[in-house]
Amino acid sequence: MTTTRKRLGDLLVEAGIISEEQLQETLADKVKGQKTGDALLQKGFITEQQLIEVLEFQLGIPHVSLYRYPFEANLFHLIPKETAKRTLMIPLKTEGDRLFVAMNDPLDFYAIEDLRLATGFKIDPAIATKDDILKVINKYYDLEEGFEELFREEQVQVDEPSVTDAESPIVRLVNQILSNAVTQKASDIHIDPQETKVAIRFRVDGILRTERNLPKHMQSMLLARLKIMANLDITEFRVPQDGRMKANVDVHPIDLRVSTLPTVYGEKIVLRLLDLGSQLNDLQKLGFNKVNHQRFMNLIKQPTGIVLITGPTGSGKSSTLYAALNHLNSEEVNIITVEDPVEYQLEGINQISVNQQVGLTFAKGLRAILRQDPNVIMVGEIRDKETVEVSIRASLTGHLVLSTLHTNDSISTITRLLDMGVEPFLVASSLSGVVAQRLIRRVCRDCKQVVPATAREIGIFAKRGMKIENITRGTGCSSCNMTGYKGRIAIHEILVMNEEMKKVILNDEPISKLRELAVRNKTIFLVDDGLLKVKQGLTTTEEVLRVSIAE
């Protein structure tokens, strides 16, 4: 995307989009042959929109937004799907002997020349974002893909070749659904059978939305294909099943956890996408503010004790745990994990997968780990009294134990442990700290605008002892699907246990006393950390209140 006449990096520095230091850091780190623009995007120093604006100015080539663009479907045969994906180029319109195309890299002269020779048209390129082009390819080319036989109203026969042959329509349809989910950076795919249709829904940035509806008669084929991919029993549809599968989507390896659930209208399937290429292994990128980052580092550097990370499903607990393990991972340390299932494989760490069928539970795995001379133990999740008691004993015998628990905030974690039947003296002596975490959506960097705060927002901030004048909001653009949000960031609440708190637990005093001590210790509560991120222009007040409770 760069040219030798004017270096893209210098143009971005001149435009004030990046600093000279960021440019030099990127040039030093980038892989040989990688374009400067791509390297800057990868580091998150610029957005694709900013890159396009600079290229548009530098090259004099117009920029086109493909959101709701009136495409001419009869032109899509001019560029085959494979070519469109490889060159990131799609046809827009024709005028006389000119064909207008949208490209991610308008300097790809080979692609332009090949297209001119293949079609006989003079080619006029325009710049579009990679995400925009991929969304269009997935949406429009699939209309051409010959799924007509699937959509016919007759009952299609579910047989072995129809759900395993790579060329069969149902296999291509499933691959297309997975490809769309990866393009949109979805975390989950929900296949919901309803009375008259099957709804395909994607969870993007924590919010579910319907991607498409399929005819009801395709339900059995779709379920059979997914079950075969996940090695599940396709004849059993009365009990829930769990499985996992690996798939390559556009040469991108993804791991999928598959769960089925019998419902009134048939089996519902949820696929959790674990992107093997992009797990967060860097504690710096998890969104900790300076105070919380220091507190968290102090907790995981201790040689013994339990550190619990709490929050609902999908709040990024695993990412934080893996980032902590990655930070602690060195050849002098023996780290062993017991998980259900192992989500990401980390080099240099011994990972055990729980297997209920053969009786390998969290507690059994933990007991075996203690005989393996570990320094750090990670327990995927504390679900019962037995697991928590073995974890506590492990921490009291000189090990650092990291684990997760489902609770609403850091203080209610202590109540939960006591409710599980753990003795107060064991909780007091073993617990080092609790990290409560939630994920909130980031304001889209391409369409963000600074607007004055409303009276209600000023009131919310005043209640927490803060002042606010302006709020950053996204107006909605093609980059964020008109939502005003793109990507997510974590907010945290870190409760570090001290002697006074331990006395409160030992003496069985009311939990309100713990909260008072937490306030006195300057604990930053979830809502406060969220509001601090609103002040930084990273998110909005609505997002913070969606995931945390303002007392």
Side-chain angles (χ1 to χ4, degrees):
M1 275 183 214
T2 88
T3 104
T4 48
R5 291 167 302 171
K6 290 179 187 171
R7 284 171 57 208
L8 176 71
D10 297 336
L11 273 164
L12 288 164
V13 173
E14 279 169 37
I17 294 169
I18 58 170
S19 65
E20 184 64 39
E21 292 75 44
Q22 287 175 323
L23 174 61
Q24 294 312 323
E25 183 191 327
T26 307
L27 292 173
D29 292 352
K30 79 181 177 110
V31 187
K32 194 180 177 188
Q34 189 182 24
K35 295 169 183 168
T36 309
D38 291 343
L40 285 162
L41 279 173
Q42 198 177 330
K43 281 197 167 286
F45 290 151
I46 59 169
T47 69
E48 216 170 351
Q49 202 66 36
Q50 289 169 328
L51 181 61
I52 279 177
E53 282 164 14
V54 171
L55 283 174
E56 184 178 12
F57 170 74
Q58 181 191 359
L59 306 171
I61 295 173
H63 156 232
V64 60
S65 169
L66 303 180
Y67 188 77
R68 294 196 175 146
Y69 187 89
F71 288 100
E72 296 173 28
N74 58 337
L75 294 180
F76 283 99
H77 70 277
L78 291 173
I79 304 177
K81 184 176 182 181
E82 291 314 309
T83 309
K85 276 198 163 174
R86 192 183 72 251
T87 58
L88 291 173
M89 171 163 58
I90 47 167
L92 295 173
K93 60 179 181 179
T94 54
E95 277 178 17
D97 65 344
R98 307 185 84 79
L99 170 65
F100 290 83
V101 295
M103 300 179 71
N104 184 234
D105 182 2
L107 294 176
D108 189 345
F109 298 119
Y110 292 112
I112 292 172
E113 186 61 15
D114 286 349
L115 185 61
R116 186 184 69 76
L117 292 169
T119 61
F121 284 102
K122 288 177 184 167
I123 309 300
D124 266 2
I127 314 175
T129 65
K130 183 180 176 181
D131 280 356
D132 261 6
I133 292 173
L134 286 173
K135 278 177 197 165
V136 171
I137 291 171
N138 286 335
K139 184 176 178 185
Y140 285 92
Y141 276 89
D142 297 334
L143 299 174
E144 314 267 306
E145 288 249 303
F147 292 132
E148 297 85 2
E149 63 216 79
L150 273 183
F151 287 90
R152 279 194 223 113
E153 266 307 325
E154 64 228 39
Q155 183 59 47
V156 192
Q157 187 63 39
V158 180
D159 52 14
E160 189 70 25
S162 73
V163 289
T164 54
D165 178 19
E167 288 306 307
S168 78
I170 194 70
V171 173
R172 294 209 316 273
L173 178 68
V174 168
N175 292 346
Q176 180 201 312
I177 290 169
L178 293 179
S179 178
N180 283 5
V182 171
T183 304
Q184 294 185 34
K185 298 185 172 59
S187 59
D188 301 83
I189 303 170
H190 289 240
I191 294 167
D192 287 346
Q194 293 167 7
E195 192 171 3
T196 56
K197 62 185 181 192
V198 181
I200 311 288
R201 300 194 292 166
F202 292 171
R203 187 179 291 283
V204 180
D205 289 342
I207 306 292
L208 261 180
R209 63 161 180 263
T210 303
E211 172 67 10
R212 58 159 65 171
N213 291 312
L214 298 175
K216 182 72 175 170
H217 67 266
M218 289 168 64
Q219 182 177 319
S220 52
M221 293 189 78
L222 194 60
L223 296 182
R225 172 62 189 157
L226 287 166
K227 283 183 165 185
I228 282 174
M229 287 174 79
N231 286 327
L232 299 177
D233 182 353
I234 64 169
T235 60
E236 180 56 79
F237 41 83
R238 296 159 302 175
V239 295
Q241 296 186 67
D242 286 312
R244 66 187 306 170
M245 59 188 181
K246 276 192 167 71
N248 267 335
V249 176
D250 305 332
V251 301
H252 199 61
I254 53 166
D255 208 349
L256 295 122
R257 268 202 345 235
V258 184
S259 165
T260 74
L261 185 73
T263 69
V264 183
Y265 298 119
E267 277 182 292
K268 172 182 166 72
I269 290 193
V270 175
L271 299 102
R272 163 67 58 91
L273 279 80
L274 303 164
D275 186 343
L276 300 179
S278 75
Q279 69 259 38
L280 283 170
N281 277 341
D282 189 353
L283 280 173
Q284 303 287 345
K285 292 179 184 165
L286 292 179
F288 281 107
N289 64 43
K290 278 183 185 168
V291 177
N292 280 345
H293 184 263
Q294 191 54 53
R295 286 177 180 172
F296 187 63
M297 296 304 279
N298 292 344
L299 285 177
I300 62 172
K301 280 177 182 167
Q302 292 179 12
T304 63
I306 290 189
V307 178
L308 292 176
I309 298 178
T310 75
T313 309
S315 59
K317 299 190 296 292
S318 300
S319 294
T320 306
L321 270 183
Y322 282 117
L325 290 180
N326 207 47
H327 179 78
L328 295 169
N329 191 7
S330 67
E331 61 177 278
E332 303 92 57
V333 182
N334 179 18
I335 301 177
I336 309 182
T337 75
V338 53
E339 305 167 59
D340 181 20
V342 172
E343 286 190 14
Y344 296 119
Q345 274 116 29
L346 295 176
E347 206 175 323
I349 290 177
N350 309 289
Q351 294 169 282
I352 304 168
S353 193
V354 166
N355 187 341
Q356 301 285 357
Q357 287 162 332
V358 296
L360 177 56
T361 59
F362 275 121
K364 245 190 183 161
L366 251 173
R367 286 198 183 93
I369 287 172
L370 290 174
R371 295 191 285 274
Q372 292 276 323
D373 181 32
N375 300 92
V376 180
I377 301 168
M378 191 267 264
V379 183
E381 191 183 331
I382 286 179
R383 293 180 187 163
D384 51 46
K385 186 182 175 185
E386 191 183 9
T387 311
V388 73
E389 285 191 337
V390 181
S391 304
I392 284 173
R393 300 209 187 286
S395 74
L396 292 174
T397 51
H399 306 95
L400 174 65
V401 180
L402 305 174
S403 189
T404 69
L405 198 64
H406 290 281
T407 61
N408 289 334
D409 59 15
S410 56
I411 292 170
S412 58
T413 305
I414 293 161
T415 323
R416 177 80 199 281
L417 291 172
L418 297 172
D419 286 347
M420 278 179 156
V422 184
E423 294 294 337
F425 74 90
L426 284 176
V427 175
S429 52
S430 63
L431 191 64
S432 302
V434 182
V435 181
Q437 178 171 318
R438 298 286 185 285
L439 289 177
I440 52 177
R441 292 185 292 169
R442 265 179 187 269
V443 171
C444 171
R445 285 170 64 182
D446 290 329
C447 60
K448 66 180 182 185
Q449 281 188 346
V450 177
V451 296
T454 63
R456 178 171 173 266
E457 285 170 330
I458 292 169
I460 291 167
F461 272 81
K463 247 188 207 170
R464 310 297 302 179
M466 294 185 226
K467 283 182 181 171
I468 187 85
E469 287 175 11
N470 297 316
I471 301 267
T472 307
R473 290 187 191 286
T475 53
C477 62
S478 59
S479 176
C480 61
N481 273 335
M482 306 311 277
T483 58
Y485 297 100
K486 191 172 185 188
R488 287 192 289 176
I489 190 168
I491 56 172
H492 302 93
E493 170 179 313
I494 300 187
L495 182 74
V496 180
M497 300 300 290
N498 60 17
E499 289 308 315
E500 290 176 89
M501 289 182 181
K502 290 181 177 182
K503 275 181 193 160
V504 168
I505 298 169
L506 277 173
N507 299 337
D508 208 8
E509 291 179 43
I511 289 298
S512 57
K513 193 83 183 286
L514 270 180
R515 178 167 281 279
E516 285 168 27
L517 289 172
V519 171
R520 207 183 304 162
N521 283 356
K522 295 191 168 56
T523 300
I524 300 169
F525 292 102
L526 274 173
V527 70
D528 298 325
D529 192 29
L531 294 180
L532 287 171
K533 287 185 167 65
V534 174
K535 284 191 83 156
Q536 291 168 1
L538 297 172
T539 187
T540 60
T541 324
E542 293 88 345
E543 273 300 291
V544 176
L545 297 181
R546 183 173 66 81
V547 298
S548 61
I549 303 152
E551 306 90 15

